[in-house]
Amino acid sequence: MAQYIVKRIAVAFPLLVVISFLTFLLNQLSPMDPVEVVLHAQGVPTITEELIAKTRTELGMDRPFLVQYWDWLQNCLQLDFGNSYVTGKPVWSLLGPALLNTLQLTIVSSLIIIILSLGLGVACALREGKWLDFSVRGLSFLLTSMPAYWLASLMIWYFAVKLDLLPTNGMDSYSSFILPVAVIVIGYAGIYFRTIRSSMLSNLNEDYVLYGRANGLSEYRITLQVLRNSLQVAVSVFGLAIPVILGSTVVVENIFAWPGLGTLTVNSILGRDFPIIQAYVLILAVAFVLFNTVSDLINAVMNPQLRREF
């Protein structure tokens, strides 16, 4: 197992380096001179060549590209992503609180999605072709086809405006979580539940299920074995659920005025605040790689055959 862990880390490490390099390259790919972007973001009325040259030296942008990248990477490892172009504050002082707020929304949503997906997926697989299977699948197709912004607006109109039951912005109380979490859960639970259902049906058609029934095993024991084998797919799917949801809260956060990463990033894009955008992209990319690696390790623990094939 130790050898497998070392191999997975060895694969993930160069990928993280490539991701960090491409993230740093974002600033250089801007059609405008990065120094001019900084000065425009700071609201400088008149930009002269002398001011550009002075600012370039102050920001260290006159050094070779690879030297800039190496210094930036070293600072990122210490959670120092530089200073905001707009406010001048350290990026992490803005990104840290926003990340915590988004993580709260993401974790609550992910837990509900996992529980619903597993429960509905197993129930529908065991009752394939019955009314429960048809009704749940039909409802899931209907709900997941709704755009998040439209569904969020509809829920705000009904639960906040018409019934006056729930708040529509901020995170002042536990009730503030209900609407944004509901929108995220509706958007993803239907997708993940179908994956679990498909995995369960695939295992229910395996020869070992027929052999178990022929030998008089109870349906309860057979279902537990099928569920255990299906969990390998579930771990892979849910291993990426958190980073996927983390990166897709932009619409929900902006509609419900949630003070998280999505809101901060949209404002940064509009203000061309590249240090914050770079940090956001890097954090999401690293989250995808890390969660994917962790899910592979969990699957390797559950299935030793994977360790031998890697």
Side-chain angles (χ1 to χ4, degrees):
M1 186 64 189
Q3 185 179 6
Y4 178 81
I5 294 175
V6 172
K7 288 182 178 180
R8 287 298 295 121
I9 294 175
V11 171
F13 180 74
L15 182 58
L16 290 174
V17 173
V18 172
I19 289 171
S20 68
F21 181 80
L22 294 176
T23 303
F24 182 75
L25 199 60
L26 281 175
N27 200 12
Q28 308 298 322
L29 294 177
S30 171
M32 295 180 61
D33 186 333
V35 177
E36 291 187 37
V37 173
V38 175
L39 295 174
H40 279 296
Q42 293 175 350
V44 177
T46 304
I47 300 176
T48 62
E49 292 297 328
E50 292 78 9
L51 182 59
I52 291 176
K54 179 183 177 182
T55 306
R56 192 185 306 278
T57 303
E58 290 176 349
L59 296 176
M61 293 183 179
D62 56 343
R63 297 173 299 163
F65 174 75
L66 290 179
V67 174
Q68 295 182 51
Y69 164 69
W70 178 247
D71 289 343
W72 176 81
L73 181 60
Q74 287 181 307
N75 291 333
C76 286
L77 293 175
Q78 304 173 40
L79 297 182
D80 180 6
F81 299 100
N83 295 327
S84 166
Y85 287 171
V86 176
T87 65
K89 297 179 180 179
V91 170
W92 185 248
S93 68
L94 302 171
L95 205 66
L99 176 60
L100 289 177
N101 293 338
T102 298
L103 280 176
Q104 293 181 53
L105 186 62
T106 301
I107 291 172
V108 172
S109 302
S110 298
L111 288 175
I112 297 175
I113 288 171
I114 290 172
I115 294 171
L116 276 178
S117 299
L118 284 173
L120 293 175
V122 172
C124 290
L126 295 177
R127 292 166 178 80
E128 182 188 11
K130 304 296 179 59
W131 69 269
L132 176 64
D133 185 29
F134 281 119
S135 59
V136 172
R137 280 195 295 155
L139 184 61
S140 72
F141 277 117
L142 174 65
L143 294 177
T144 54
S145 66
M146 296 180 181
Y149 64 87
W150 184 82
L151 180 60
S153 302
L154 188 64
M155 295 182 76
I156 288 174
W157 168 79
Y158 186 75
F159 292 104
V161 177
K162 188 173 182 179
L163 299 181
D164 194 23
L165 293 177
L166 299 170
T168 61
N169 57 76
M171 48 180 301
D172 300 327
S173 63
Y174 292 116
S175 59
S176 301
F177 283 80
I178 296 176
L179 289 182
V181 167
V183 173
I184 295 173
V185 169
I186 289 173
Y188 285 97
I191 299 173
Y192 292 127
F193 126 78
R194 290 196 294 271
T195 303
I196 302 302
R197 176 184 176 275
S198 177
S199 178
M200 283 285 295
L201 288 176
S202 177
N203 278 280
L204 283 170
N205 292 323
E206 292 290 338
D207 291 339
Y208 72 85
V209 175
L210 180 61
Y211 182 78
R213 286 170 177 163
N215 281 274
L217 291 180
S218 65
E219 286 296 320
Y220 176 75
R221 291 185 61 184
I222 293 174
T223 302
L224 286 181
Q225 185 61 43
V226 169
L227 179 59
R228 178 185 176 186
N229 294 339
S230 301
L231 282 179
Q232 293 184 32
V233 174
V235 169
S236 299
V237 170
F238 294 135
L240 293 178
I242 292 180
V244 166
I245 296 172
L246 186 66
S248 62
T249 58
V250 175
V251 174
V252 173
E253 287 187 1
N254 278 275
I255 290 178
F256 291 102
W258 192 271
L261 277 181
T263 303
L264 177 64
T265 304
V266 169
N267 293 334
S268 300
I269 292 173
L270 295 176
R272 294 185 176 181
D273 204 343
F274 280 102
I276 294 179
I277 299 171
Q278 285 178 317
Y280 174 75
V281 172
L282 183 62
I283 288 174
L284 278 187
V286 169
F288 270 98
V289 174
L290 290 181
F291 276 94
N292 186 50
T293 302
V294 170
S295 64
D296 285 347
L297 294 177
I298 294 174
N299 273 329
V301 172
M302 297 172 59
N303 185 2
Q305 182 65 29
L306 295 176
R307 301 200 294 268
R308 293 191 289 268
E309 294 176 354
F310 187 77

